[in-house]
Amino acid sequence: MSKHEQQPAADPTPASPEDTTEATEPAAADETAASTGADQASDAAAAASVDEPVAAAKIAELDELVAERTHDLQRLQAEYANYKKRVDRDRALSRQGGIEAVVLDLLPVLDSIEAAREHDELTGGFKLVAEELERLTAKYGLTVYGEVGEPFDPNVHEALMHLPMEGVEVTTVSAIMQKGVRLNDRVLRPARVGVAEPE
């Protein structure tokens, strides 16, 4: 072989142990990560299985607390509704009682006005005052009742005298001594009347 002939290229040198380690490191890391993930998943599953009874107990406790608070709220709402009804009723009764007391004090004045009207003495400025007073009392539910010829009703009439009368089929009011007074549906003073009875 001549000098000018080229020598075949030498075999590459074998890889060093460091190079081998570098090649195998990624695979080992993947295996480690996979095993760590599996361990974490199994730990989470175990923790979840342990926590299930605790969570169920907590939910049951919260449900019981919600039911208790709901019951308390419903009871308070019912108590408030009853209280409001009672206050409204008491307010209405107090108002009615106040009106009744004032009307009872005014009855002698109203009787005097009625007597003046019957004697044609209700004239001039006094007539205007009397009419305004009657309008005002009527606004609060005051009505005067009692007419000759109406059937006698012991609930609203007070009979001061009884006279038999021809042509009368039922007990009838024959004379009015004093008119009765109602405040709304309540009789404040019964009409004092003379009564005609069938013979």
Side-chain angles (χ1 to χ4, degrees), residues 103 107 142-145 179-183 186-189:
V103 168
L107 281 183
L142 183 74
T143 54
V144 177
Y145 70 93
K179 291 205 171 185
V181 178
R182 281 193 190 99
L183 185 62
R186 179 182 165 87
V187 175
L188 294 184
R189 184 181 71 193

Side-chain angles (χ1 to χ4, degrees), residues 39-91:
D39 291 344
Q40 288 176 347
S42 65
D43 289 346
S49 66
V50 170
D51 288 344
E52 281 178 9
V54 175
K58 278 285 185 189
I59 290 172
E61 183 181 344
L62 290 173
D63 286 343
E64 184 179 347
L65 189 60
V66 166
E68 183 181 340
R69 294 294 182 266
T70 304
H71 177 70
D72 289 346
L73 183 60
Q74 290 171 342
R75 181 176 52 77
L76 286 173
Q77 188 174 7
E79 286 178 0
Y80 175 73
N82 291 335
Y83 166 76
K84 189 174 184 305
K85 286 178 186 175
R86 189 169 60 252
V87 167
D88 290 343
R89 185 186 67 240
D90 292 347
R91 184 183 296 122

Side-chain angles (χ1 to χ4, degrees), residues 110-126:
L110 295 172
D111 290 339
S112 298
I113 290 172
E114 185 63 27
R117 182 178 282 117
E118 288 175 359
H119 293 89
D120 293 326
E121 295 177 359
L122 200 60
T123 58
F126 180 62

Side-chain angles (χ1 to χ4, degrees), residues 95-96 99-100 102-103 133-143 182-184:
R95 181 177 183 273
Q96 188 66 22
I99 292 170
E100 185 175 321
V102 171
V103 168
L133 183 61
E134 289 173 339
R135 185 194 65 78
L136 195 61
T137 54
K139 174 184 172 184
Y140 289 100
L142 183 74
T143 54
R182 281 193 190 99
L183 185 62
N184 297 317

